């Protein structure tokens, strides 16, 4: 598609004299004029050059004006071009057919130069507005309408038609691996193939939109409800079978694509529901390849309701001092004496029920309340230490360590009370994706300078890869509980724990075994050289105050 710096007017008329006359009259408007001598040539020129304005004769050989207009209107880039019909007739049926094909106005023969120039100038101003809109609503790579156009079309029809969302992750992968040039060609080939398959499979007209790279939407013009909740599974499965069987050749390279399809049936929320289900969809191969938006959205709304309820419980627990510190004893496996406590966060909901971290931490981390929860736990542990001096461990995640408020509060307490610092172990739990490791290292150095120590939780994942361990200042390693649980039945688990013990000896750090559930576990750990343990054999987590009173 070529474009001129000037606005472009396409004149389509089988009469050479009429075209010459129009070109002369338009010369004063400083426009570029393209000529075509029949409707077919005019339609082809319109799609090739995408002019700003088209002057189309009604009666022409090969293809008449109204038919050419209908062809032009089917192309998204040309759909908004103002088209004026040139005619010497005023018969109502001819004017009606012209309007129905997509004509905006008429230029009557014989031409009035003043009126013609005024009409053309007026529609060229409209064309400039239209062009800006078209550029904003057309995907630049595929020249298909984009998500903005989809939103407008769905709104104009009040969600009356079904939508099929299609994702192919290979488009994005190919762009990353082989560059945008090959990726763009693959996506254009994919669009063309989808349109071809859709025309052969579906009994209704449909329009393809590109809403992102590798993410497409088919909008069905389905006035007869051909696609409904009963017919959709069979129809869409047939479409999917044709689609996945395709291979795409780009620059002598063959590509196959996997697809994720989401069907959104007509209704007020057809687009919003489809977008929600589409964004929730997982990578192809890890979930059903065809899902229905209504089902996904129902689950999504239930998750939202649950998350809001959980967030309310978190907020209220902080306001009402209902953040509860629970603890589990840390035990010398040889003497079975309690040497300290791992402190665990719990909150109480409005019904007084104790909520475990698995039910609220994910929601908490996405809110502003999470730092307050950690600081509330640290304050309770500090109060417990002053009343009952002992060793205490407290879980910190990278979210805590990267929060200036939490770090400042922690270092203030540790620097002001060195006795507490010497008896506090900061236990590093899972490392969040994208966390700043250098910031984590600095935090451990800072607490160490105050006298506190660090523990690596769940040895074998997160922070415990060997390269990271070599960079961290830590004093304890906690053996992953699933390994400890299996040492009484699995040679492999015993060999792995033996390796961890050897590593700890070399690194001169102490080991803590989790999930010590039986005397057999304790005996096996002692035999292997593990000195500290915790687990149900020594007690389940209980409120910290209650546990200390019992001691």
């Amino acid at each position: 598609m070529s474009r001129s710096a000037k606005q472009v007017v396409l004149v389509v008329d089988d009469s050479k004299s009429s075209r010459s006359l129009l070109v002369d009259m338009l010369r004063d408007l400083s426009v570029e004029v393209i000529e075509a001598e029949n409707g077919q040539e005019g339609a082809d020129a319109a799609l090739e050059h995408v002019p700003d304005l088209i002057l189309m004769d009604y009666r022409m050989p090969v293809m008449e004006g109204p038919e050419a207009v209908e062809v032009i209107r089917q192309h998204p880039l040309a759909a908004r071009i103002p088209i004026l019909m040139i005619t010497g007739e005023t018969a109502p049926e001819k004017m009606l057919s012209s309007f129905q094909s997509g004509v905006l106005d008429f230029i009557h023969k014989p031409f009035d130069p003043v009126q013609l120039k005024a009409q053309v100038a007026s529609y060229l101003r409209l064309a400039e507005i239209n062009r800006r809109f078209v550029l904003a609503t057309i995907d630049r790579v595929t020249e298909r309408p984009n998500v903005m156009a989809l939103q407008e079309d769905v709104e104009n029809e009040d969600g009356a038609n079904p939508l099929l969302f299609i994702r192919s992750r290979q488009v994005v992968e190919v762009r990353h691996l082989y560059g945008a040039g090959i990726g763009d060609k693959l996506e254009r080939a994919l669009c063309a193939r989808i349109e071809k398959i859709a025309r052969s499979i579906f009994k209704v007209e449909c329009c393809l939109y590109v809403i992102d790279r590798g993410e497409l939407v088919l909008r069905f013009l389905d006035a007869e409800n051909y696609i409904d909740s009963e017919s959709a599974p069979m129809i869409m499965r047939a479409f999917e079978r044709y689609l996945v069987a395709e291979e795409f050749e780009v620059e002598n390279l063959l590509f196959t694509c996997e697809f994720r399809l989401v069907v959104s049936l007509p209704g007020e929320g057809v687009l919003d529901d489809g977008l929600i289900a589409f964004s929730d969809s997982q990578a192809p191969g890890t979930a059903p390849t065809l899902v229905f938006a209504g089902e996904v959205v129902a689950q999504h709304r239930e998750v939202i309701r649950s998350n809001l309820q959980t967030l309310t419980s978190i907020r209220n627990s902080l306001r009402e001092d209902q953040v509860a510190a629970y603890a589990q004893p840390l035990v010398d496996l040889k003497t079975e004496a309690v040497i300290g406590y791992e402190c665990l966060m719990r909150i109480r909901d409005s019904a007084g029920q104790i909520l475990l971290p698995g039910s609220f931490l994910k929601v908490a981390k996405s809110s502003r309340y999470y730092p307050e929860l950690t600081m509330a736990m640290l304050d309770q542990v500090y109060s417990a230490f002053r009343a009952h001096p002992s060793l205490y461990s407290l879980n910190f995640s990278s979210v805590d360590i990267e929060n200036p408020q939490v770090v400042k509060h922690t270092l203030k307490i540790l620097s002001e009370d060195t006795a507490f610092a010497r008896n506090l172990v900061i236990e590093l739990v899972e490392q969040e994706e994208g966390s700043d490791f250098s910031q984590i290292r600095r935090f451990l150095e800072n607490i160490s300078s105050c006298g506190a120590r660090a523990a690596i939780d769940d040895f074998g994942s997160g922070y415990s890869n060997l390269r990271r361990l070599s960079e961290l200042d830590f004093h304890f390693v906690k053996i992953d509980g699933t390994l400890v649980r299996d040492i009484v039945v699995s040679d492999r688990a015993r060999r792995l724990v033996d390796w961890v013990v050897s590593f700890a000896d070399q690194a001169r750090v102490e080991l803590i075994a989790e999930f010590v559930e039986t005397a057999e576990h304790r005996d096996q750990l002692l035999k292997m050289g593990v000195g500290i343990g915790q687990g149900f054999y020594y007690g389940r987590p209980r409120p910290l105050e209650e546990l200390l009173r019992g001691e």
Side-chain angles (χ1 to χ4, degrees):
M1 179 182 68
S2 58
R3 282 294 300 163
S4 168
K6 296 180 179 180
Q7 285 188 289
V8 178
V9 177
L10 171 61
V11 176
V12 187
D13 198 316
D14 62 319
S15 169
K16 185 176 181 179
S17 59
S18 291
R19 295 199 308 272
S20 299
L21 181 59
L22 287 168
V23 170
D24 287 340
M25 291 181 178
L26 296 175
R27 190 168 285 116
D28 292 344
L29 296 179
S30 187
V31 296
E32 178 181 339
V33 179
I34 298 172
E35 299 180 48
E37 61 183 34
N38 62 58
Q40 182 64 64
E41 288 185 7
D44 293 342
L47 301 185
E48 178 184 354
H49 299 283
V50 191
D52 297 277
L53 178 65
I54 300 174
L55 308 182
M56 177 82 68
D57 192 22
Y58 188 98
R59 289 193 177 280
M60 290 180 290
V62 185
M63 181 184 291
E64 290 202 336
E67 186 180 354
V69 173
E70 289 181 355
V71 172
I72 293 168
R73 290 294 185 227
Q74 291 174 10
H75 195 285
L77 284 174
R80 287 177 171 267
I81 298 174
I83 302 178
L84 310 184
M85 188 65 76
I86 302 169
T87 181
E89 303 182 34
T90 57
E93 63 274 9
K94 288 186 171 54
M95 297 184 72
L96 179 59
S97 68
S98 298
F99 282 129
Q100 289 173 337
S101 68
V103 168
L104 294 187
D105 205 346
F106 289 86
I107 295 176
H108 294 283
K109 297 178 181 178
F111 303 129
D112 181 324
V114 175
Q115 181 179 338
L116 185 141
K117 290 178 184 180
Q119 274 185 287
V120 169
S122 176
Y123 280 105
L124 284 174
R125 287 192 292 272
L126 174 63
E128 180 59 28
I129 297 171
N130 281 340
R131 181 169 296 281
R132 291 176 184 176
F133 178 83
V134 168
L135 289 174
T137 57
I138 294 296
D139 175 64
R140 62 173 182 81
V141 171
T142 63
E143 296 187 354
R144 267 74 174 184
N146 64 13
V147 68
M148 186 182 297
L150 176 62
Q151 290 171 332
E152 182 189 35
D153 291 340
V154 171
E155 287 175 5
N156 288 340
E157 64 194 18
D158 295 325
N161 289 308
L163 303 174
L164 174 62
F165 294 76
I166 306 167
R167 173 182 288 118
S168 173
R169 60 187 172 86
Q170 279 74 25
V171 169
V172 176
E173 290 176 355
V174 167
R175 287 175 66 89
H176 287 162
L177 289 171
Y178 308 112
I182 292 179
D184 291 349
K185 289 179 181 178
L186 174 61
E187 188 161 21
R188 286 192 286 268
L190 176 61
C191 288
R193 199 73 57 87
I194 286 174
E195 288 169 332
K196 181 179 178 181
I197 295 172
R199 285 193 296 270
S200 66
I201 290 290
F202 302 119
K203 296 179 180 178
V204 294
E205 184 182 346
C206 50
C207 179
L208 183 67
Y209 301 78
V210 178
I211 62 174
D212 205 344
R213 300 280 64 86
E215 296 185 354
L216 319 171
V217 179
L218 276 174
R219 172 176 144 264
F220 300 92
L221 305 180
D222 189 17
E224 303 300 323
N225 294 322
Y226 160 65
I227 300 172
D228 58 22
S229 57
E230 292 184 3
S231 65
M234 182 178 65
I235 295 171
M236 297 307 172
R237 285 295 180 197
F239 175 76
E240 182 186 25
R241 284 195 297 272
Y242 276 91
L243 193 56
V244 298
E246 296 288 330
E247 287 187 335
F248 302 89
E249 184 175 351
V250 178
E251 296 189 3
N252 297 318
L253 298 172
L254 280 179
F255 298 97
T256 58
C257 295
E258 296 175 340
F259 298 94
R260 173 77 163 171
L261 308 181
V262 174
V263 181
S264 188
L265 295 174
E268 184 178 351
V270 61
L271 179 56
D272 290 340
D273 290 355
L275 289 171
I276 289 171
F278 202 45
S279 65
D280 281 358
S281 64
Q282 302 174 33
T286 63
T289 55
L290 174 63
V291 298
F292 285 83
E295 299 170 2
V296 176
V297 169
Q299 298 169 4
H300 186 80
R301 286 174 179 153
E302 176 57 28
V303 170
I304 290 174
R305 185 201 63 78
S306 176
N307 288 345
L308 288 172
Q309 185 176 347
T310 299
L311 192 61
T312 300
S313 295
I314 294 169
R315 181 198 62 193
N316 291 343
S317 70
L318 287 165
R319 288 180 177 177
E320 300 166 11
D321 197 23
Q322 293 298 305
V323 178
Y326 273 50
Q328 189 173 38
L330 300 172
V331 177
D332 183 315
L333 295 179
K334 187 172 184 179
T335 66
E336 297 198 314
V338 174
I339 62 170
Y341 305 91
E342 180 183 4
C343 300
L344 305 163
M345 186 189 301
R346 306 286 190 267
I347 64 174
R348 291 185 179 88
D349 64 13
S350 57
Q353 297 294 315
I354 293 294
L355 302 183
L356 300 178
S359 67
F360 67 83
L361 273 187
K362 183 178 179 180
V363 173
K365 286 180 179 180
S366 66
S367 74
R368 69 174 186 83
Y369 300 115
Y370 185 67
E372 296 180 47
L373 290 172
T374 300
M375 290 187 289
M377 278 293 296
L378 178 61
D379 291 343
Q380 289 190 50
V381 171
Y382 185 36
S383 296
F385 172 80
R386 286 184 294 183
H388 192 290
S390 183
L391 179 72
Y392 294 89
S393 74
L394 182 62
N395 293 333
F396 269 52
S397 73
S398 58
V399 177
D400 296 311
I401 295 170
E402 292 174 358
N403 184 279
Q405 189 179 6
V406 172
V407 171
K408 181 178 180 181
H409 186 69
T410 302
L411 295 178
K412 181 176 185 296
I413 292 176
L414 296 181
S415 61
E416 291 177 353
D417 193 329
T418 56
F420 176 58
R422 289 193 299 271
N423 284 278
L424 180 67
V425 176
I426 298 292
E427 190 172 317
L428 297 181
V429 295
E430 77 283 356
Q431 183 176 0
E432 302 288 333
E433 183 177 352
S435 55
D436 185 346
F437 191 81
S438 62
Q439 197 167 347
I440 294 165
R441 185 173 59 244
R442 285 195 301 273
F443 174 76
L444 295 188
E445 291 170 352
N446 287 334
I447 66 167
S448 180
S449 68
C450 296
R453 291 170 287 178
I456 304 296
D457 192 25
D458 294 334
F459 187 84
S461 63
Y463 296 101
S464 59
N465 71 74
L466 295 180
R467 187 174 71 84
R468 290 305 195 194
L469 284 174
S470 68
E471 301 175 18
L472 294 177
D473 183 10
F474 63 98
H475 303 80
F476 298 91
V477 165
K478 301 193 77 171
I479 308 173
D480 184 83
T482 56
L483 289 178
V484 175
R485 180 180 287 164
D486 291 343
I487 59 172
V488 296
V489 295
S490 168
D491 288 337
R492 179 180 175 82
R494 284 192 289 273
R495 287 195 297 270
L496 285 170
V497 172
D498 274 334
W499 179 83
V500 175
V501 172
S502 176
F503 166 81
D505 288 341
Q506 294 293 322
R508 298 180 181 178
V509 297
E510 290 192 70
L511 290 173
I512 301 173
E514 298 182 293
F515 287 28
V516 182
E517 297 178 342
T518 66
E520 194 176 0
H521 284 105
R522 177 203 60 197
D523 295 342
Q524 184 65 51
L525 287 165
L526 278 171
K527 187 186 302 182
M528 301 173 79
V530 181
I532 304 172
Q534 66 183 100
F536 289 176
Y537 181 65
Y538 296 109
R540 293 175 179 271
R542 294 162 52 194
L544 179 58
E545 290 183 0
E546 178 184 311
L547 196 61
L548 294 179
R549 283 198 302 269
E551 298 292 334

